[in-house]
């Protein structure tokens, strides 16, 4: 079924309505916040946050940029102190603000037509700050290193990003991943723990369009651990597709034989299934073979083996034998039957996993890599990791602003025109692979100049009196780098 088409006036009206709703989400400095979002979404040359003030979409001084970041989500130190004093009512209002942003962004996602479910992706991305000694709650984070042999670690923060993967009209359509929730991973939690909380928040909000509809979450091997899958299995309409390492051990469901039924607790696990040992594999319940052609015309042969009703070991409180899953082995070969890369293993878990065929599960997991493109674009073109601040709350505000700027690019996708560079003349203007985030960002200033902005023009307020002569600046506190504790070590904070 083809995606619905809209005329230009409808697209402009929808985009203006979306921008007005974002504008209404900011309670203070809303004009500066909106100008900052526009300058960020239309950024093509700024390499720092202050340089965004040179954009024609930001008609204010560079000081207003930092005021907008601080006031965007009302997380100044004074406001935080007032919230602690006044109690729970303000905490509820603070939690309601991100929810409003999720509702606004979720309205951009059309209901899927080609597939009967909404597709989500989750991942954790590093935010390195190795030299920010006055920034609190810094720890050792995972960051891939291009130099072979070096440890893939750095010092700073990590952020868990939950996004929606929109339905593609064609197989080779541009990769888009719309972020709807971004939370910092605190020192007492892991990225998997924060991701589980984000999913629970999104799945429990009855005002969101995917409520009571089938949802699929794709994730990498870090999210295939027992604690995460057990929590997600509580959501009746959620199916999780997660990659697993090739050395994991699972179990078959125990055979049920009423004639040999004995007293006591029935057997919960069947025969052992070692992914690294072919001898332990039983005959697959389903075998699927498909062919796929890449953009360059290369033919791929994909073989998918499926084992149903598989189990993983649980604990006293996480009884995983109550949550069987489907195990998939995906092997890709070329036309000479040579293996192109190492076979991958996926698990499909959830009450409605039967609605997801092995072929659909493979396509869903392949689309998971779109979130990697989004994170890379956000860091290179939206300055996601360029905001140097000693305040953790202000850093969190900046991450949310970057997510909104990316959502603006998605909302303006159908209004943008292709502006090729001199070396990009080979690209066809009508191809759907053209409208990438980069090409929309290139044309974004023209779109805003034509449709306008809900932000009001700035007013000159004169020069600030500055600091009083003789006033002493208090030095910021330097915080140590905190190393997270393992389960076997005492519950005391270590500083490196």
């Amino acid at each position: 079924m083809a995606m619905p088409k809209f005329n230009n006036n409808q697209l402009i009206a929808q985009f203006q309505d979306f921008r007005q709703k974002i504008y209404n989400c900011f309670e203070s400095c809303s004009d500066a916040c909106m100008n900052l979002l526009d300058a960020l979404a239309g950024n093509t040359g700024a390499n720092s946050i202050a340089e965004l003030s040179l954009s024609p979409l930001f008609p204010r001084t560079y000081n207003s940029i930092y005021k907008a970041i601080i006031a965007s989500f009302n997380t100044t130190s004074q406001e935080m102190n007032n919230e602690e004093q006044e109690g729970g009512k303000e905490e509820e209002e603070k939690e309601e603000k991100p929810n409003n942003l999720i509702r606004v962004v979720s309205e951009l996602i059309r209901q899927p037509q080609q597939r009967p479910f909404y597709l989500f992706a989750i991942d954790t991305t590093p935010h390195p700050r190795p030299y920010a000694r006055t920034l609190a709650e810094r720890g050792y984070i995972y960051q891939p290193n291009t130099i072979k042999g070096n440890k893939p670690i750095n010092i700073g923060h990590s952020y868990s990003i939950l996004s929606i993967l929109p339905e593609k009209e064609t197989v080779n359509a541009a990769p888009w991943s719309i972020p709807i929730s971004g939370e910092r991973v605190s020192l007492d939690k892991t990225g998997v723990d924060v991701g589980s909380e984000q999913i629970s928040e999104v799945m429990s909000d009855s005002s969101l369009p995917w409520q009571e509809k089938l949802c699929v979450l794709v994730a990498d091997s870090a999210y295939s651990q027992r604690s995460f899958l057990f929590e997600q299995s509580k959501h009746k309409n959620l199916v999780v597709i997660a990659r697993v390492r090739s050395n994991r051990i699972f179990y078959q469901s125990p055979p049920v034989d009423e004639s040999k039924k004995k007293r006591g607790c029935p057997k919960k696990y069947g025969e052992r299934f070692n992914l690294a040992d072919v001898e332990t594999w039983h005959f697959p319940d389903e075998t699927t073979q498909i062919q796929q052609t890449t953009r360059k015309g290369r033919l791929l042969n994909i073989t998918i083996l499926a084992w149903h009703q598989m189990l993983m070991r649980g604990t006293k409180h996480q009884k995983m034998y109550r949550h069987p899953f489907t195990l998939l082995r995906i092997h890709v070969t070329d036309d000479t039957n040579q293996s192109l890369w190492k076979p991958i293993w996926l698990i499909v878990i959830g009450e409605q996993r039967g609605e997801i065929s092995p072929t659909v599960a493979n396509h869903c997991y392949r689309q998971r890599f779109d979130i990697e493109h989004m994170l890379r674009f956000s860091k290179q073109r939206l300055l996601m990791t360029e905001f140097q601040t000693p305040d953790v709350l202000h850093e969190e505000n900046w991450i949310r602003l970057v997510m909104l700027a990316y959502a603006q690019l998605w909302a303006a996708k159908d209004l943008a025109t292709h502006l090729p560079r001199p070396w990009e003349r080979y690209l066809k203007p009508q191809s759907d692979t053209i409208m990438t985030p980069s090409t929309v960002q290139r044309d974004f200033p023209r779109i805003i100049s034509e449709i306008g902005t809900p932000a009001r023009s700035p007013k000159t307020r004169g020069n600030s009196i500055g600091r009083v002569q003789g006033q002493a600046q208090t030095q910021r506190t330097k915080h140590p780098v905190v190393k997270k504790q393992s389960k076997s070590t005492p519950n005391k904070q270590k500083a490196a």
Side-chain angles (χ1 to χ4, degrees):
M1 183 176 179
M3 298 293 289
K5 301 296 182 181
F6 302 92
N7 59 42
N8 197 50
N9 292 333
Q10 287 178 311
L11 294 174
I12 293 176
Q14 291 177 0
F15 186 51
Q16 289 176 331
D17 180 65
F18 168 70
R19 287 170 52 79
Q20 185 64 47
K21 290 180 179 178
I22 288 183
Y23 179 80
N24 295 336
C25 287
F26 300 115
E27 294 183 356
S28 58
C29 293
S30 54
D31 300 317
C33 290
M34 202 67 203
N35 290 149
L36 176 59
L37 282 178
D38 292 343
L40 187 59
N43 172 41
T44 57
N47 296 318
S48 65
I49 308 301
E51 283 186 88
L52 292 175
S53 62
L54 302 179
S55 171
L57 298 180
F58 193 83
R60 303 170 190 273
T61 61
Y62 68 92
N63 294 318
S64 299
I65 289 181
Y66 301 99
K67 293 179 181 179
I69 296 174
I70 294 173
S72 56
F73 298 99
N74 292 332
T75 55
T76 59
S77 300
Q78 182 178 359
E79 288 168 339
M80 293 299 296
N81 293 334
N82 293 336
E83 288 182 3
E84 293 177 359
Q85 294 175 1
E86 295 179 8
K89 182 177 179 181
E90 284 73 13
E91 291 183 1
E92 295 178 359
E93 293 178 356
K94 181 187 173 185
E95 293 176 356
E96 189 70 17
K97 184 60 62 178
N99 287 342
N100 290 335
L101 293 175
I102 293 176
R103 297 186 189 107
V104 172
V105 176
S106 65
E107 293 178 1
L108 295 175
I109 308 302
R110 302 170 187 169
Q111 184 173 352
Q113 302 294 328
Q114 301 176 8
R115 60 192 183 199
F117 55 83
Y118 287 88
L119 186 60
F120 296 83
I122 193 167
D123 203 358
T124 303
T125 185
H127 191 291
R129 298 290 303 278
Y131 307 111
R133 296 184 178 181
T134 59
L135 181 64
E137 299 188 35
R138 286 189 308 156
Y140 292 96
I141 58 176
Y142 171 80
Q143 185 182 25
N145 198 305
T146 56
I147 307 300
K148 186 177 181 180
N150 287 1
K151 291 184 178 180
I153 61 174
N154 207 330
I155 297 175
H157 294 153
S158 293
Y159 283 85
S160 177
I161 307 297
L162 176 64
S163 64
I164 299 179
L165 303 179
E167 190 175 52
K168 295 185 177 182
E169 297 184 12
T170 60
V171 177
N172 296 326
W176 286 87
S177 177
I178 318 304
I180 59 175
S181 177
E183 298 294 337
R184 184 177 59 86
V185 180
S186 59
L187 294 175
D188 57 341
K189 296 180 181 178
T190 64
V192 176
D193 297 333
V194 177
S196 182
E197 295 174 358
Q198 290 174 284
I199 297 169
S200 298
E201 178 185 6
V202 169
M203 290 296 155
S204 60
D205 192 342
S206 59
S207 64
L208 297 177
W210 47 78
Q211 282 302 307
E212 299 182 358
K213 295 181 181 179
L214 180 60
C215 299
V216 176
L217 174 72
V218 288
D220 60 10
S221 58
Y223 297 86
S224 64
Q225 56 184 269
R226 175 180 57 233
S227 59
F228 179 81
L229 297 177
F230 179 77
E231 291 298 323
Q232 306 321 309
S233 297
K234 298 177 181 179
H235 305 294
K236 305 299 181 182
N237 62 325
L238 179 64
V239 175
V240 179
I241 302 175
R243 185 173 182 174
V244 293
R245 301 188 307 272
S246 57
N247 61 351
R248 291 282 295 271
I249 297 175
F250 299 121
Y251 299 87
Q252 304 178 36
S253 294
V256 179
D257 190 354
E258 296 293 338
S259 61
K260 297 182 180 180
K261 190 174 183 180
K262 300 180 181 179
R263 296 179 60 185
C265 182
K267 191 175 182 180
K268 296 182 176 61
Y269 298 97
E271 297 294 329
R272 194 166 176 264
F273 193 104
N274 188 352
L275 303 188
D277 188 2
V278 182
E279 300 296 329
T280 62
W281 303 356
H282 61 281
F283 193 77
D285 300 315
E286 187 177 351
T287 302
T288 306
Q289 292 184 342
I290 57 176
Q291 289 186 335
Q292 183 179 349
T293 304
T294 64
R295 293 184 181 181
K296 296 184 178 180
R298 189 179 187 182
L299 183 64
L300 304 180
N301 299 312
I302 304 175
T303 303
I304 305 176
L305 305 180
W307 290 270
H308 302 303
Q309 298 299 113
M310 298 296 292
L311 300 172
M312 69 172 59
R313 284 287 183 182
T315 62
K316 180 179 179 181
H317 302 288
Q318 298 172 350
K319 300 178 180 180
M320 294 301 297
Y321 64 87
R322 297 179 179 176
H323 304 286
F325 58 87
T326 299
L327 179 65
L328 303 179
R329 182 181 185 269
I330 303 174
H331 188 205
V332 182
T333 58
D334 57 12
D335 51 0
T336 62
N337 205 27
Q338 294 293 324
S339 180
L340 295 181
W341 49 77
K342 184 179 178 181
I344 65 174
W345 293 87
L346 302 178
I347 59 175
V348 185
I349 189 170
E351 288 190 6
Q352 302 188 47
R353 65 186 181 279
E355 303 291 331
I356 309 299
S357 66
T359 303
V360 173
N362 176 54
H363 289 315
C364 289
Y365 187 77
R366 291 297 177 187
Q367 194 175 349
R368 188 205 76 86
F369 294 97
D370 290 354
I371 194 175
E372 305 287 353
H373 294 284
M374 182 269 293
L375 294 174
R376 181 173 179 267
F377 176 83
S378 298
K379 293 181 180 181
Q380 292 184 349
R381 304 296 296 274
L382 297 181
L383 310 179
M384 185 177 185
T385 57
E386 296 301 321
F387 183 44
Q388 306 295 317
T389 176
D391 196 306
V392 177
L393 299 176
H394 299 168
E395 182 183 276
E396 294 175 354
N397 286 353
W398 176 247
I399 297 298
R400 294 191 180 101
L401 288 172
V402 170
M403 292 168 52
L404 284 177
Y406 189 97
Q408 275 211 114
L409 294 177
W410 166 259
K413 176 175 65 70
D414 295 327
L415 295 174
T417 57
H418 179 43
L419 302 176
R421 303 300 192 195
W423 54 86
E424 295 177 341
R425 294 177 182 176
Y426 63 91
L427 297 175
K428 298 179 181 179
Q430 302 301 325
S431 175
D432 59 352
T433 61
I434 295 281
M435 285 308 154
T436 63
S438 296
T439 55
V440 179
Q441 186 180 42
R442 197 179 301 170
D443 193 39
F444 194 80
R446 178 197 63 82
I447 298 174
I448 299 302
S449 63
E450 290 184 0
I451 70 172
T453 175
R456 294 166 295 183
S457 301
K459 296 180 180 180
T460 305
R461 300 184 183 275
N463 297 326
S464 173
I465 60 174
R467 297 175 187 169
V468 180
Q469 187 175 5
Q471 179 182 1
Q473 279 296 102
T474 57
Q475 293 186 353
R476 297 191 181 106
T477 304
K478 295 182 178 180
H479 301 277
V481 181
V482 181
K483 185 176 181 181
K484 290 187 177 182
Q485 298 294 302
S486 60
K487 295 182 179 180
S488 59
T489 55
N491 189 19
K492 292 182 180 180
Q493 240 183 17
K494 288 185 179 181

